[in-house]
Each structure stands twice: as structure tokens, then as C-alpha cells.
Amino acid sequence: MKSPTTLLLWILMTVLLCACGGKDDDDKPQAERAGIGAIGQAPGATPFVAQLNYALRDFAHLDSVHYTIAGRPDSHSRPVAVTYDRAWLGRRAAWDAGSARIAFPVFGLYANHRNELTLTTRFRDGSTHVAQVAIATGSYTGPATIYDAPQVRTARGAASPGFEYMLIKNGVTSPVILDSDGQLRWASGPGTSFSSLFGDDAFYVGDGSAPVLHRFDVDTSVRSSRLDDPKFTNFHHELARGKTGFLAELDARVGGVLLLESIVAEIDISGRVLKEWDLGQIFRAAMRAGGDDPANFVRDGVDWFHMNSAIYDAQDNALLISSRENFVVKLDYDTGAIRWLLGDTSKHWYVNYPSLRALALRVTEGKVPIGQHSLSVAPNRELLLFNNGLASLNQPAGTPAGQNRRYSTPSRYAIDDKARTAREVWTWDGERKLLSDICSSAYESAPGQYLVAYSSLAERTQARLVALDTAGQIAFDYAYPSEVCNTVFIAEPFRLDGLQLR
């Protein structure tokens, strides 16, 4: 039996040893204290997704999780590289405190391939834990198989087209991701994704038959929110980033009358309508103020406007909207006032209405936009669009429908708001052999490099994705069978090689 003095000394030494041991542990980098061991994995809902999990003692120390997927030996696309920050992981309850484990999806995998991943867990003190993971996937058999085997007219080589991945909005399935080698890297279930985008955390898709916004997580799970204004009936055409939320192109029913493709609203991810612009009301007011009767131009219940693109221009605090039937219109974001119109001056709107003629820009060089789609503003403030070339389809009887062209082009315009002029400063005509009369898109991916989608070639039976530069040099050219615009409605460059989910 120990004496009281000996017992006291023993207790004191034990406390000191424990204190020293705790201090040593506290001095270790957080990555070493995290307790990360073997990485568990499970297949996801499609071969493009897998679920990873591992032990993690303290979620509070975590900063982010990052992974890269090595390219196949025959690929030129840069590797998939995705970062999940702590807030994104926290919102989806990725860490389970009871089991002290974290679980999350990885997406962008090749189907039917042994995917080699590098997984980096970063902590708040800057320390990291790096692991190598191999994920074997099976074949894909879902509705997006149409993208599996393109007709390769020009294969991608070592030179970058200015982007590595493409987001394809379509009428077959959810948004689809292809890499620049033409490989399918993400798809979900059947449906349509004409009206869609990738937000900061997920894919968002506006329903074409209901006033419902669907949120597709990267693991393909879906949540839906209904718009809070009951007059809206459905989404159509594009969904784009707005000033604070998303710009949604919507149909509505007011007083029993259907307002077709002439309203754009800014909404948040919960379906709350933040602001709206009724183009029927806006044009009625402008035409009356200019001394014109708008009755034979703005026609409720008729697709007189056919809005197919609406974007927010932050530098000018303005909306740029494409009316396929008429022109491109620039609106003041706050007041809805019309700043200018740009379009074919042989059409009904210009020929018959002095109030609208007074708002028109004068095209001093090149082609006017006709039946245009997919507006965007380049960093140098030039307007880029796909110039389809198809005359109006729904003008009042006996009024001019405008020109028809035998070919389509991407077109870029320098616009002088003060001089009220526009110049077509770049275009590519494909030897005037490519007519994609509806849908389609053109986006600049890097200075002087473009992704052009021809949605409805060969009498609307073929779609093509073409990457080219200002000089017309083609980096790749892939063709797919299509019905009207279903295979490729819009194709946008997508940063799956440096994506951060917040």
C-alpha cells in the first residue's frame, strides 16, 4: 500500500504526463489529428457518380474536400477537378457526428472505366490529407446514350479549344456534361433541360409543363420548388443568372388569357418571384407614348414575341432579351424602359411602327440578327449571339416577316449606345453551308475561342458541336442525330476542371 506522500507524487506525475501527451497532440497538424483511414466507396445512381466516405473526428476543423479524376490515356481534356467547401458539405449534412464519418459524392467519372482519383482533404490550419482512390464504373444505359458515340468530324488534338467541358441543355434528359474529347461525363434521368443552368451548388431546371423549379444535386437527387405567383404556368427556353437570382422565361395566364413567351422574371432558388418584366405591357406603353396603336403588334394569346434568351448585364444594369420574332431588345433593369432594338428592319415592327423605328440601332457593317438565340456579353462589352437567319413565323396576316437566309452563323456586335449603331465585328459562316434555323447557341470560351452549337442542321435531323477560333480554325467538330432541337438546344463551356461548390 502506497503512503499518502507516494500516492500524491504518483497522481501528480500522471497528470503531468497526460498534460504533456495532450499538448503534443494539440501541436500536431489538424490533418494528422483527423483520424482519416481507409476510404470507403459505393456506386452512385449512374456510372458518372460514386459515393465516398471516411472517418473524420472533427468537422469543425475541415476547410474543404477536393478531388481530381485522371484523364484516360487517349484523352486531351484537362482532368476533372472539383472542390466542396465546408459550407456546401455542412448544408447537405455530409458529416455524421455519431459515427464521426463524412460522406459525399464524386461526379464526372468515366463510365465503364477504372477511374483514378486524387482526394485531398484540407483543414483550417492549412494542413492536408491526400489519398489515392480507384473507382471502377459500369456502362451507362440511360436516356443520354445518344451522346455516347458522336460522329467525329474533327477530333480534338493537343491544342486547347479554350474550354475543357460542355454543359448541354436538351430535350432528352437532365443537363448533360461532355468533355472536349466528346466523352459523356454526367447525366441524370429522363426529362428535358431546355431551361436550365448550373448554380453555385447544383443544377437547376425549370419545368416546361409546370411552374416548378427543380434542383438536381450532383449525385442526381432532386428537390423541387413551386413558384409563389399563381399566374405563371410553366418555364420555357433559357434559365440564366440575374442580378440577385435567376432570370426565368415564363408563360402566364392572366384574366383567362395565356401570355405566351413574353414575360421574364427574376426568381430565387426557393421559387420566390423577386421582380418581373411583362414585355407586352412594356411595348404597349412605349408604342402609345410614341403615337402608335400597339393592337396589331402586342397580341395577347398569340406568340407575338417568342422570347428565347434573357440575360443580365451587370455593367449597364440592363436586361438583354432576344425576341425571335422581332429583334434583340435592351431594357433598363430598374424601370423596364426600352434602351434600344436591334434586328431586321424589313420586318413588321420597323416598317409599320415609327415608335419602334425610333428605338432601332443602325447596323453600319455586316448582317443584322434574324431569328437569333443565346445572347451573351463578352468581356470587351461586345454582344455575341447565334444568328439563325429564319424569318418571323407568327406575324399578323399581311405584314412583312422579314428576310430568310440560307445559312446560319455565330455573330458578334460592337454596339455604340450613344451613336446608336451596331457593327458585326466577327462571324463564321462555315462556307455558307450550315443552316440551323431554330435553337442553337454560340459562346466565347476564352478570348478569340468559341463553342458553337448547331441544333437543327440537315432539316432538323442533326446537331453539331464545333469549337473554333476567330480565324475559323476548328479544334473539334462532333455530330449527333437529333429531332428538331432535342439533342442540343444550347451548349455552354463548363468549368468541370476547376469547379467549386459553395
Side-chain angles (χ1 to χ4, degrees):
M1 182 175 182
K2 294 182 176 69
S3 68
T5 302
T6 303
L7 181 60
L8 182 60
L9 288 170
W10 181 80
I11 293 171
L12 181 59
M13 289 296 294
T14 302
V15 170
L16 287 172
L17 286 169
C18 290
C20 289
K23 187 175 188 305
D24 287 344
D25 192 58
D26 288 343
D27 287 342
K28 290 180 180 178
Q30 290 172 346
E32 289 186 31
R33 287 185 275 145
I36 298 174
I39 311 296
Q41 62 176 268
T46 73
F48 312 112
V49 180
Q51 299 290 333
L52 299 185
N53 68 87
Y54 52 84
L56 183 70
R57 288 177 182 163
D58 192 346
F59 185 70
H61 292 161
L62 183 69
D63 176 74
S64 62
V65 174
H66 173 84
Y67 68 88
T68 61
I69 303 172
R72 299 194 325 183
D74 57 346
S75 71
H76 293 287
S77 300
R78 291 177 58 189
V80 167
V82 176
T83 300
Y84 301 134
D85 73 9
R86 185 174 174 276
W88 186 88
L89 293 163
R91 281 199 310 277
R92 71 193 325 272
W95 187 68
D96 178 68
S99 63
R101 294 188 71 84
I102 190 169
F104 52 85
V106 296
F107 71 108
L109 300 168
Y110 292 102
N112 197 28
H113 181 69
R114 179 182 168 87
N115 293 265
E116 302 290 342
L117 277 68
T118 300
L119 181 65
T120 303
T121 308
R122 181 175 294 277
F123 295 85
R124 290 188 164 183
D125 66 356
S127 62
T128 59
H129 178 279
V130 180
Q132 303 299 320
V133 183
I135 301 176
T137 57
S139 299
Y140 173 71
T141 58
T145 51
I146 195 168
Y147 303 99
D148 266 344
Q151 176 193 353
V152 180
R153 299 172 59 90
T154 302
R156 181 189 163 170
S160 172
F163 62 95
E164 306 297 328
Y165 295 87
M166 300 170 275
L167 182 64
I168 311 298
K169 305 175 184 184
N170 64 85
V172 179
T173 180
S174 63
V176 166
I177 299 175
L178 304 178
D179 65 26
S180 58
D181 299 298
Q183 293 290 315
L184 182 58
R185 305 298 292 272
W186 193 88
S188 183
T192 62
S193 51
F194 295 121
S195 180
S196 62
L197 55 68
F198 190 87
D200 290 333
D201 61 343
F203 299 93
Y204 290 86
V205 178
D207 197 306
S209 58
V212 175
L213 182 67
H214 304 292
R215 178 189 180 278
F216 285 76
D217 197 349
V218 295
D219 68 3
T220 74
S221 60
V222 183
R223 290 184 293 172
S224 301
S225 302
R226 194 173 187 87
L227 298 186
D228 68 357
D229 189 329
K231 74 170 176 287
F232 294 119
T233 60
N234 59 279
F235 291 75
H236 63 86
H237 288 92
E238 287 191 10
L239 188 65
R241 289 184 179 272
K243 187 173 185 176
T244 58
F246 298 152
L247 289 179
E249 298 167 33
L250 301 163
D251 290 336
R253 188 173 294 278
V254 178
V257 177
L258 187 60
L259 305 183
L260 286 166
E261 303 192 6
S262 59
I263 298 178
V264 61
E266 188 152 20
I267 64 174
D268 66 17
I269 60 174
S270 69
R272 187 163 56 104
V273 177
L274 308 175
K275 188 174 175 65
E276 67 180 86
W277 299 264
D278 182 329
L279 277 297
Q281 294 180 7
I282 288 169
F283 273 90
R284 281 192 183 98
M287 294 173 75
R288 286 169 179 154
D292 285 331
D293 179 0
N296 204 36
F297 184 70
V298 179
R299 293 163 293 145
D300 292 343
V302 175
D303 189 14
W304 65 276
F305 192 81
H306 197 95
M307 184 187 305
N308 60 31
S309 183
I311 61 171
Y312 176 65
D313 183 354
Q315 187 161 323
D316 282 351
N317 193 37
L319 297 182
L320 288 162
I321 300 172
S322 169
S323 165
R324 200 218 74 82
E325 284 293 290
N326 304 288
F327 35 56
V328 178
V329 52
K330 186 173 187 177
L331 298 182
D332 183 273
Y333 177 91
D334 294 321
T335 67
I338 301 170
R339 296 189 186 176
W340 50 250
L341 306 174
L342 173 61
D344 179 2
T345 56
S346 67
K347 288 189 176 187
H348 174 49
W349 69 272
Y350 189 92
V351 171
N352 292 322
Y353 296 105
S355 61
L356 301 183
R357 209 158 44 238
L359 295 167
L361 298 178
R362 181 169 56 92
V363 177
T364 61
E365 185 178 338
K367 306 184 301 299
V368 296
I370 297 176
Q372 68 288 323
H373 285 76
S374 73
L375 308 180
S376 63
V377 178
N380 69 350
R381 308 294 305 140
E382 291 174 352
L383 174 65
L384 181 64
L385 52 82
F386 188 90
N387 204 339
N388 296 78
L390 179 65
S392 298
L393 299 173
N394 204 21
Q395 297 290 356
T399 64
Q403 306 174 46
N404 269 311
R405 295 197 189 102
R406 291 178 295 175
Y407 64 98
S408 305
T409 72
S411 291
R412 184 168 177 146
Y413 295 89
I415 294 173
D416 187 329
D417 288 69
K418 291 183 180 179
R420 303 192 67 75
T421 60
R423 291 184 300 117
E424 187 186 38
V425 294
W426 176 79
T427 187
W428 184 72
D429 64 15
E431 299 179 342
R432 301 192 174 188
K433 295 178 179 178
L434 300 174
L435 177 62
S436 183
D437 59 349
I438 57 173
C439 310
S440 310
S441 62
Y443 291 96
E444 188 176 37
S445 54
Q449 294 180 288
Y450 301 91
L451 171 60
V452 183
Y454 295 87
S455 300
S456 53
L457 292 170
E459 298 183 347
R460 303 182 182 176
T461 65
Q462 184 190 77
R464 275 170 64 184
L465 299 173
V466 181
L468 54 89
D469 64 15
T470 301
Q473 296 297 310
I474 293 176
F476 66 72
D477 183 351
Y478 305 134
Y480 306 85
S482 186
E483 294 180 4
V484 193
C485 306
N486 277 349
T487 301
V488 179
F489 175 60
I490 289 173
E492 293 181 356
F494 187 65
R495 284 301 312 275
L496 195 55
D497 56 322
L499 184 64
Q500 296 190 3
L501 279 75
R502 303 182 175 90

